[in-house]
Amino acid sequence: MHPLNPVHPSSQHRPDGDPAGLEGAENGHDNRRDIGDILQQIMTITDQSLDEAQAKKHALNCHRMKPALFSVLCEIKEKTGLSMRNAQEEEPPDPQLVRLDNMLLAEGVAGPEKGGGAAAAACSEFTTHVMNLLREQSRTRPVSPREIERMVAIIHRKFSSIQTQLKQSTCEAVMILRSRFLDARRKRRNFSKQATEVLNEYFYSHLSNPYPSEEAKEELAKQCGITVSQVSNWFGNKRIRYKKNIGKFQEEANLYAMKTALGATQSEESPHTPNSTGSGSFSLSGSADCFLGVPPMNGEQPPYHMGAQTNGNWQEQNTPPSATSPGSDHSDNSD
DNA sequence: GTCCATGATTACGC
DNA sequence: GCGTAATCATGGAC
């Protein structure tokens, strides 16, 4: 079968190669029949092979009725489906998008210099590509300039939607990270029993001057498996809490006095025997106050008050003691 | 769920 | 920068 001579019976009467048989048609009846033929050919074009379809397309493009039919189809398109989308155009800025923008801007993860320009460029590039495609297609199918405009609007809306989704995801990720950061900052884990013992041992054996030097802090941190800052925090808390409620800590002080005394006795008998605290050799207490114990609130003598020193002025003064505090010959600096 | 102990943070003074 | 004092926030015992 000739590619331009489809199954339509009317074409069988025109073996001259005129695809729709419109050449020479002079009356309205013939015109209507010609248009009918053209439409019939368009309808059946998908049934043809690729070669047949290409040939028919070319023939239709060259048809003298094509411009008229083309403009009519454009008009019909304008008036029907696409016109329904008019209401969706010119949308106001989405308030949620504005909020997301503001948040990302505040977090320093958005802004024109951080990808906003690239996104706009990508959108523009894609739009240009689609417009070129449509212009290309407009030679073979009715594509009006207005339709191109609408397509551009659709692309912009889609890009905007994707941008919103990405911004939302980024905001969520930022919130999660922020929350994790704050959690980590606030997370509190009790020190190990052994670490607390080491710290307490130092504290009570230096009760007249419980201000470890930097070296002592580093040594304590190493022994306890914590940071120097944590050692400083611990001593800060301990001093203030001890001072606030000496009576409450008396028992604890006596306990550590006993331990220290026991450790000292054992080391005298066997210098290589670890002390009873289980904290291993604790060289830092070598110059300790040995042992102060705690002045009982009722005036009684503590059971293990081994030193002649007082409990140190640090408990009475609000200012940190200097290296010349009472019993400074036992100060931490000697460590 | 409540209470207490405790590590961390913050504001302030020196 | 260090220490104090107050406070926050959490862990753990009950």
Side-chain angles (χ1 to χ4, degrees), chain A residues 190-253:
Chain A
N190 285 353
F191 296 158
S192 69
K193 197 176 173 184
Q194 187 254 347
T196 309
E197 288 214 350
V198 170
L199 294 167
N200 271 318
E201 196 174 320
Y202 187 97
F203 180 81
Y204 286 114
S205 62
H206 294 75
L207 203 50
S208 67
N209 188 32
Y211 297 89
S213 64
E214 202 55 38
E215 293 79 20
K217 282 180 187 173
E218 283 171 14
E219 183 65 28
L220 284 166
K222 208 167 133 187
Q223 285 192 33
C224 299
I226 58 178
T227 66
V228 173
S229 295
Q230 286 177 305
V231 172
S232 298
N233 280 338
W234 188 91
F235 273 88
N237 284 324
K238 189 72 179 179
R239 279 191 297 268
I240 191 70
R241 283 163 186 161
Y242 177 86
K243 197 161 116 178
K244 269 184 177 175
N245 199 347
I246 292 176
K248 196 181 92 177
F249 288 96
Q250 189 174 335
E251 198 179 331
E252 189 178 71

Side-chain angles (χ1 to χ4, degrees), chain A residues 207-210 292 309-317 321 325-327:
Chain A
L207 203 50
S208 67
N209 188 32
L292 298 168
Q309 302 97 324
T310 66
N311 281 315
N313 290 344
W314 69 273
Q315 296 169 52
E316 295 154 16
Q317 299 167 346
S325 63

Side-chain angles (χ1 to χ4, degrees), chain A residues 254-271:
Chain A
N254 290 337
L255 183 72
Y256 280 97
M258 196 158 60
K259 281 183 178 180
T260 306
L262 201 63
T265 310
Q266 283 177 348
S267 57
E268 270 178 24
E269 290 169 356
S270 168

Side-chain angles (χ1 to χ4, degrees), chain A residues 28 33 61 83 108 120 126 143 164 179 244 284-285 297 329-330:
Chain A
R33 198 178 58 189
N61 266 333
S83 63
F126 186 71
V143 180
T164 306
S179 140
K244 269 184 177 175
L284 292 166
S285 60
M297 304 304 280
D329 51 335
H330 296 296

Side-chain angles (χ1 to χ4, degrees), chain A residues 95-112:
Chain A
Q96 191 187 349
L97 192 59
V98 173
R99 276 201 302 275
L100 289 173
D101 276 339
N102 289 339
M103 183 190 161
L104 290 173
L105 210 58
E107 294 292 340
V109 292

